[in-house]
Amino acid sequence: MLTLYNSQGAPAYPLTVSNACITHKFDGYDTLQFVIPIESKDYPNIAEEIRVRTDDNLFIIKSIDEHSDESVIDCSLDLDDWKQNFYPEFRRTDSTLSSLLEEIKPVNWSITGAQIAPGRKTVEASEGNPIINTTPYFLLGRLSEVFGVVFQFDCVNKSLHVIDPTLYEASGEYLTDELNLKSIGFNGDSSDFVTRIYPYGKEGLTIASVNDGKEYLDDHSYSNRVISVGWKDERYTIAENLKAAAQKKLTELAFPSRSYECSVVDLAKSNPEYTFLAFSIYKVVTLIDRRRKTRINHQIVEYKEYPLSPEKNVVTLSSS
């Protein structure tokens, strides 16, 4: 059920719409879209920047696409609190994710899960240069990139939760056209495929001292060919940290980028007997592709959820 807020920002009344869809995105910035008839009694109260609440989160109307008899309404998460403060310059060195989030978070928000990203990093625009004219909202994106994490936002309870998607492992859910898979679209791309990486940090730092004298890392899990690439990131001043980052990057590059868009019968939403097949963003599920005769684990990187019509749900899977 959707609840429409008034122009003063307070909950007003239930909103009756069709085709409401919540898109759970990999980076955590979920969206809400719904269709409302122009003749609806609620339509005059629909306007940009009005808040709409779902069962689990709070959104703001950002786009109204009106047609002859109905309008398509697009909403983004209500993250205005993160856009209030302003930093003419922002640069922090040798800092933990926990300390940085505590520094920039709005006073009425809480942070959980930040300890999942250990270590200290430098947050800056480029080596020695601060990020200029920025807000906490923009800095969240930079922190996500630097620490290799994503964020989930609970805008109702004003809570940010830190997630490392790489820590998810296959948990037993599966997709098969014999049970819960209605249709499948496939996309494969190996244009960035490599099996060997030569990483370099600040001032020519290499990984040789912590890698048996070799300046490169190999990953032949997909192919035994040697395909090399160089990679430089001057944020790294410690060989061990550079090696860990390079190994993570190579793991992504050493396998073709493959994604599937799957229209699913979301059985767990309609039948309690199938709770073991529940889907959610970041879960690693097993896709049984009978056409290609493969059974491969893929991570859910996007999940379109239709709360009132779970038979329309769509999951996007990726091996990268």
Side-chain angles (χ1 to χ4, degrees):
M1 183 182 72
L2 302 183
T3 300
L4 188 68
Y5 282 46
N6 59 31
S7 57
Q8 286 72 46
Y13 51 82
L15 182 63
T16 302
V17 301
S18 62
N19 295 321
C21 175
I22 303 167
T23 301
H24 303 279
K25 295 182 174 290
F26 189 80
D27 60 8
Y29 294 86
D30 296 353
T31 61
L32 166 68
Q33 183 182 84
F34 60 88
V35 178
I36 183 170
I38 292 175
E39 299 301 323
S40 168
K41 62 179 178 58
D42 299 327
Y43 189 63
N45 299 311
I46 297 293
E48 299 90 337
E49 296 302 302
I50 293 295
R51 291 175 170 83
V52 179
R53 178 172 173 174
T54 65
D55 289 340
D56 303 313
N57 227 325
L58 187 62
F59 295 82
I60 296 180
I61 296 174
K62 291 295 182 180
S63 171
I64 301 174
D65 186 6
E66 184 176 302
H67 300 280
S68 58
D69 57 354
E70 63 184 19
S71 278
V72 179
I73 312 299
D74 288 296
C75 312
S76 300
L77 286 174
D78 178 11
L79 296 174
D80 282 358
D81 290 348
W82 293 85
K83 301 175 183 178
Q84 292 180 3
N85 292 335
F86 177 77
Y87 297 92
E89 291 188 354
F90 189 94
R91 181 177 183 268
R92 302 291 185 269
T93 61
D94 194 33
S95 300
T96 64
L97 178 60
S98 294
S99 65
L100 291 167
L101 287 174
E102 288 296 330
E103 177 183 353
I104 70 171
K105 74 176 181 67
V107 293
N108 53 344
W109 278 68
S110 61
I111 307 295
T112 60
Q115 69 281 355
I116 204 170
R120 296 175 175 270
K121 302 288 181 68
T122 294
V123 178
E124 57 190 356
S126 58
E127 185 181 6
N129 297 313
I131 302 169
I132 61 172
N133 299 334
T134 191
T135 64
Y137 179 81
F138 175 84
L139 290 172
L140 285 176
R142 189 70 177 125
L143 294 179
S144 175
E145 177 186 1
V146 170
F147 286 92
V149 296
V150 294
F151 306 121
Q152 279 193 329
F153 302 94
D154 180 348
C155 301
V156 175
N157 298 303
K158 298 186 180 300
S159 173
L160 178 151
H161 183 62
V162 182
I163 292 173
D164 183 350
T166 65
L167 299 181
Y168 280 73
E169 298 180 348
S171 50
E173 295 83 2
Y174 59 89
L175 292 169
T176 172
D177 59 6
E178 296 177 294
L179 180 62
N180 56 356
L181 183 59
K182 292 193 296 184
S183 65
I184 182 171
F186 172 77
N187 181 270
D189 186 353
S190 64
S191 56
D192 295 324
F193 178 72
V194 300
T195 61
R196 176 175 291 180
I197 190 169
Y198 288 81
Y200 298 98
K202 189 175 181 179
E203 298 179 350
L205 175 71
T206 75
I207 63 171
S209 62
V210 293
N211 194 48
D212 298 326
K214 297 185 295 183
E215 294 188 3
Y216 61 86
L217 295 170
D218 284 329
D219 187 334
H220 296 291
S221 56
Y222 184 80
S223 171
N224 59 8
R225 292 179 294 157
V226 176
I227 304 172
S228 301
V229 69
W231 174 62
K232 185 176 184 179
D233 191 332
E234 293 191 342
R235 292 175 299 177
Y236 291 96
T237 58
I238 300 173
E240 288 88 347
N241 295 344
L242 177 63
K243 181 180 178 180
Q247 186 64 69
K248 186 174 182 179
K249 188 171 188 66
L250 181 60
T251 299
E252 298 172 355
L253 297 174
F255 196 85
S257 176
R258 293 175 173 175
S259 65
Y260 294 81
E261 185 173 278
C262 306
S263 294
V264 299
V265 179
D266 205 340
L267 296 172
K269 292 289 193 303
S270 55
N271 190 332
E273 294 182 8
Y274 289 99
T275 54
F276 65 95
L277 291 179
F279 303 126
S280 61
I281 192 72
Y282 312 122
K283 271 193 175 182
V284 177
V285 301
T286 302
L287 175 64
I288 301 173
D289 187 348
R290 294 200 297 165
R291 178 180 299 170
R292 294 174 180 81
K293 298 181 180 180
T294 59
R295 181 186 179 98
I296 304 175
N297 292 334
H298 295 273
Q299 189 161 41
I300 297 177
V301 296
E302 186 176 277
Y303 178 32
K304 289 184 179 294
E305 180 185 6
Y306 293 82
L308 300 179
S309 305
E311 70 279 1
K312 296 181 180 179
N313 290 358
V314 175
V315 296
T316 300
L317 311 178
S318 177
S319 62
S320 300

